[in-house]
Amino acid sequence: MTTEPSTSAATSTAAALAGDASCTEPWSARVRTLARLGRHREVLALLRDGDPSPPPHALALPAAVISCTALSLVSGVAQIQALGCKRGLLPSSDAYLLSSLLSSYSRLGLLPRAHQLLDEMPLASTPPTTLRTAFNSLISGCALHALPAACFALFRRMRAAGAPFDAVTLMTLLPAAPQSVVPQLHALAGKAGLAAETNVANCLISVYARRAAGLARQVFDEMPLTSRDIVSWNAVLSAHAQNGLAVDALDLYSRMCGHDGGSVEPDAVTLVSVLSSCAHLGARGVGLGVERYMQERLPGFRANMQLCNSLINFHARCGSLTQAQRLFNEMPRKSIVSWTALITGYGMHGHGDVAVNLFQAMVSEGIRPDNVAMVGLLSACSHAGMYDEGRKYFSAMESTYQLRPTLEHYTCMVDLLGRAGRLKEARELISSMPMPADGAVWGALLGACKIHKNVEIGEEAFEHVIKLEPSNVGYYVLMANIYTDTGQLEGVVRVRAMMRERGLKKEPGCSYVEHKGRVHLFMADDHSHRQAKRIYELVIKLEQMVTEKTDGTVENGQGRVDEGYSGKMAAPLIGFHSEKLAVAFCMLNTDDSEIVVIKNLRICGDCHSFLKAVSAIANRAFLVRDASRFHRFEGGACSCKDYW
């Protein structure tokens, strides 16, 4: 890295530049050139020793202010201000110098001096454009120091002084504004004819995206096609991806790559949002297309850590741990996000031992875990039933890594204890929490009560969770299932009555697969697919084969035997759940390749048993991603080892 020359060397260089008769560049231009190149000591030396004739041009002084600021020379800035006053350039004649001084004092943390300089301006005689420049500079300084109240106080003064605001003013105020004020600024921008400007619209999209994607999308849709640049597309894509609207994000990406995008091409920022949405949905086809684009159009993408991390996360969450591991190994540099993506991926697949080994390798390389990494590790321990390891790492959070457990960590621990059948211990942990338990914590306990058919603790958890999340239908379904499993039909009736009173309906189960570039969606007992007749025939045939193999009884993987199949019936008692239809479709239309199914809800015990049996009968491998983890069925067994 180039170092700054010493003061004496800078003086010699400046003197040589000033006395170089062959140099035709004006002296003030040389000052500005050196400042632009970051040679700040040479700028000040030239200003001091160049002895130009006539005296320094006004355009040289702002460049000198920039150099003083870069070198944190407060006294130098003050001297230049004095020189500007002496030559009549201040307080209001030279907008460029005034703006430079205001910005300099703000960056150096000297806001009182900046305010004093602004106060000294004769508002009545100062040109409006100079006033605007001055106010914009100081508003930016207050925004830099996270002083939103000061920003808006200055804006009110600016309006009272009759200074016109511009796009720069709005782009400074919008990120600093409370959400309730943003629509007012938006209206002001529209009234002034500035809302349609690309930079202002992009800023509005980004600010609205903090609260919800709807208003951000509205601003984007109102922009003329020709005004949308890569920043516009990235802002609206990010708004949808970060707010969980993955389907809309991928739809926008498709439009961007089509006619609507014009000449705009995706960049690394675009692809990070798209890969995040692909990982969320399990959209393997789109994600693999993005990876091909990266290989063809962004050959140096491996140097982009954020992009590589997104790709690792995509592969891990879409079932390809081998690819995720390969990309991880090929990264020239790895951040904690890289490690966390892989640890979480192995955890979702039930490989808790690998996740723990990765965590230990990360720590041995000197990377200190953060809260997100610990959530991934504890979740991995929970999915794999690694009780001792989970307890050990949870205890080590504060003692070893100086991390205070959050609600997410307690949720993981309640889940870990509950799955292991330690329901009372999980309940005691909730009582010992330093903060009130949220819906996720009580929901984890309720889910464990479903596994272990514990009505007493389940009812307590249910009572708490519906107070915190009264419209989350999943918790009502869990409680109803606990009553069903324990034969308490009156409880089922009560829960269903509560759901009716509150207008709640169970979310329909759906599964989808990708085949030849198309997504095929299946709902429970769905007959809308054009191959429905063949699909149902195959499911019925497989049910009969499973019945013959198991004598009508199937171990459900959670400690009980279900009489879920009957050879005397044309269709199974448990109905045609969506994952069965998706698997049957793929068996009809693919060869011996692995079948990957994405399901929106947690897989039920009956379908889990069915897919285990079919994987052995048909000699096929099925990878199912449900709402919480992956299940890989092969040879009559599941990767979860019936622990889920």
Side-chain angles (χ1 to χ4, degrees):
M1 183 174 70
T2 304
T3 57
E4 290 283 1
S6 65
T7 303
S8 59
T11 302
S12 300
T13 303
L17 283 168
D20 185 358
S22 64
C23 183
T24 59
E25 186 179 23
W27 184 90
S28 61
R30 276 180 272 167
V31 171
R32 297 198 303 275
T33 299
L34 289 169
R36 189 173 62 252
L37 295 173
R39 295 161 65 175
H40 300 299
R41 293 187 185 277
E42 294 176 45
V43 168
L44 301 185
L46 185 58
L47 187 68
R48 184 178 64 245
D49 302 320
D51 192 24
S53 182
H57 190 275
L59 289 176
L61 295 181
V65 172
I66 292 170
S67 293
C68 287
T69 307
L71 297 170
S72 299
L73 295 175
V74 177
S75 60
V77 178
Q79 289 175 40
I80 295 170
Q81 180 184 347
L83 183 60
C85 290
K86 183 179 179 181
R87 293 189 178 164
L89 301 173
L90 295 172
S92 61
S93 296
D94 191 318
Y96 189 20
L97 178 58
L98 180 64
S99 173
S100 298
L101 285 166
L102 288 167
S103 297
S104 174
Y105 283 135
S106 299
R107 289 184 179 278
L108 292 170
L110 301 171
L111 287 174
R113 287 200 189 184
H115 279 282
Q116 182 183 351
L117 183 57
L118 184 69
D119 292 341
E120 291 172 356
M121 291 177 61
L123 299 181
S125 60
T126 303
T129 53
T130 303
L131 276 178
R132 179 176 63 200
T133 301
F135 275 105
N136 281 350
S137 297
L138 192 48
I139 289 171
S140 296
C142 292
L144 180 69
H145 292 281
L147 299 169
C151 290
F152 284 94
L154 283 165
F155 183 57
R156 286 191 292 272
R157 276 186 64 189
M158 180 182 185
R159 301 276 283 159
F165 64 89
D166 61 5
V168 174
T169 321
L170 292 169
M171 289 190 294
T172 306
L173 289 172
L174 280 166
Q179 282 294 334
S180 59
V181 177
V182 174
Q184 298 174 45
L185 289 174
H186 189 177
L188 270 178
K191 190 174 180 180
L194 295 169
E197 288 195 15
T198 299
N199 289 339
V200 175
N202 290 346
C203 191
L204 282 165
I205 293 170
S206 298
V207 171
Y208 277 132
R210 296 176 189 167
R211 183 172 59 181
L215 289 171
R217 179 62 173 270
Q218 182 180 329
V219 175
F220 178 81
D221 288 340
E222 290 172 356
M223 293 177 72
L225 289 177
T226 53
S227 296
R228 297 172 184 167
D229 59 11
I230 185 63
V231 178
S232 315
W233 284 100
N234 285 346
V236 74
L237 270 166
S238 177
H240 287 79
Q242 292 177 6
N243 285 283
L245 302 172
V247 172
D248 296 298
L250 296 189
D251 177 63
L252 282 163
Y253 176 64
S254 177
R255 286 176 55 191
M256 179 184 181
C257 295
H259 176 72
D260 285 0
S263 59
V264 177
E265 291 192 359
D267 63 5
V269 177
T270 317
L271 302 181
V272 166
S273 292
V274 174
L275 286 169
S276 171
S277 297
C278 290
H280 180 76
L281 287 175
R284 297 181 76 189
V286 179
L288 292 173
V290 169
E291 185 174 26
R292 286 192 296 273
Y293 177 89
M294 290 164 55
Q295 292 167 345
E296 295 168 4
R297 307 293 290 275
L298 302 174
F301 77 87
R302 283 182 175 79
N304 187 319
M305 191 179 297
Q306 189 179 11
L307 193 51
C308 281
N309 291 342
S310 297
L311 195 55
I312 289 170
N313 182 57
F314 158 72
H315 279 302
R317 289 182 62 84
C318 288
S320 184
L321 277 176
T322 303
Q323 282 290 89
Q325 183 71 64
R326 180 183 61 78
L327 279 163
F328 179 84
N329 294 340
E330 292 174 354
M331 287 181 71
R333 291 184 303 114
K334 301 175 180 68
S335 68
I336 189 168
V337 178
S338 318
W339 288 93
T340 301
L342 202 58
I343 288 168
T344 303
Y346 275 106
M348 284 185 69
H349 285 261
H351 303 307
D353 52 344
V354 181
V356 167
N357 290 338
L358 277 168
F359 180 83
Q360 292 172 340
M362 178 185 78
V363 173
S364 68
E365 291 197 11
I367 297 178
R368 180 177 290 276
D370 61 8
N371 279 326
V372 180
M374 294 306 301
V375 168
L377 178 66
L378 294 175
S379 178
C381 291
S382 177
H383 284 311
M386 298 170 65
Y387 169 81
D388 293 332
E389 289 83 354
R391 287 304 304 257
K392 180 181 77 172
Y393 285 111
F394 182 73
S395 299
M397 283 187 66
E398 289 192 88
S399 61
T400 305
Y401 305 118
Q402 289 75 56
L403 295 172
R404 182 170 295 177
T406 67
L407 283 167
E408 285 186 282
H409 302 106
Y410 280 104
T411 301
C412 290
M413 285 306 299
V414 170
D415 188 55
L416 171 71
L417 295 169
R419 288 175 189 272
R422 300 172 181 264
L423 296 175
K424 290 185 178 179
E425 191 176 344
R427 180 64 188 86
E428 290 168 2
L429 179 64
I430 294 175
S431 298
S432 71
M433 287 171 57
M435 74 286 282
D438 64 359
V441 172
W442 287 110
L445 182 61
L446 182 63
C449 292
K450 163 67 173 71
I451 294 171
H452 299 287
K453 306 180 195 176
N454 190 306
V455 176
E456 181 183 353
I457 298 178
E459 286 179 332
E460 181 189 4
F462 180 64
E463 181 181 342
H464 283 284
V465 79
I466 62 171
K467 288 179 182 176
L468 295 164
E469 298 182 27
S471 60
N472 190 329
V473 69
Y475 297 134
Y476 296 86
V477 173
L478 271 175
M479 192 66 236
N481 287 342
I482 293 173
Y483 284 134
T484 300
D485 289 347
T486 55
Q488 299 188 32
L489 298 184
E490 290 183 1
V492 177
V493 172
R494 283 198 309 274
V495 173
R496 288 180 176 173
M498 290 174 67
M499 292 175 67
R500 281 195 302 272
E501 290 169 6
R502 300 180 184 192
L504 301 176
K505 292 184 179 180
K506 180 181 176 183
E507 181 183 1
C510 68
S511 300
Y512 61 87
V513 293
E514 292 185 71
H515 177 60
K516 293 184 177 180
R518 287 188 58 199
V519 173
H520 296 261
L521 178 68
F522 298 90
M523 309 289 285
D525 295 317
D526 181 12
H527 287 78
S528 62
H529 197 278
R530 61 186 180 85
Q531 295 186 34
K533 186 174 183 297
R534 295 179 62 209
I535 290 170
Y536 277 83
E537 287 174 351
L538 179 56
V539 172
I540 292 171
K541 180 180 178 182
L542 290 170
E543 290 280 0
Q544 292 171 342
M545 294 173 71
V546 169
T547 300
E548 291 169 2
K549 182 179 180 180
T550 60
D551 296 327
T553 59
V554 180
E555 172 67 38
N556 77 351
Q558 294 182 351
R560 76 172 189 265
V561 174
D562 290 335
E563 296 181 4
Y565 306 90
S566 172
K568 298 179 181 180
M569 297 187 65
L573 285 170
I574 59 171
F576 294 91
H577 284 186
S578 60
E579 55 267 54
K580 290 184 178 182
L581 303 178
V583 165
F585 166 78
C586 287
M587 290 178 68
L588 289 169
N589 292 278
T590 63
D591 50 19
D592 294 334
S593 59
E594 181 179 75
I595 293 171
V596 180
V597 179
I598 309 296
K599 181 175 172 61
N600 67 328
L601 303 177
R602 184 172 174 270
I603 190 171
C604 73
D606 299 303
C607 288
H608 191 270
S609 300
F610 171 80
L611 292 177
K612 279 200 304 181
V614 173
S615 70
I617 292 169
N619 194 26
R620 295 289 299 268
F622 313 130
L623 185 66
V624 178
R625 190 184 95 177
D626 70 6
S628 64
R629 62 168 298 152
F630 278 94
H631 298 264
R632 191 171 194 278
F633 302 94
E634 187 173 20
C638 179
S639 59
C640 74
K641 300 174 184 176
D642 294 336
Y643 188 89
W644 93 100

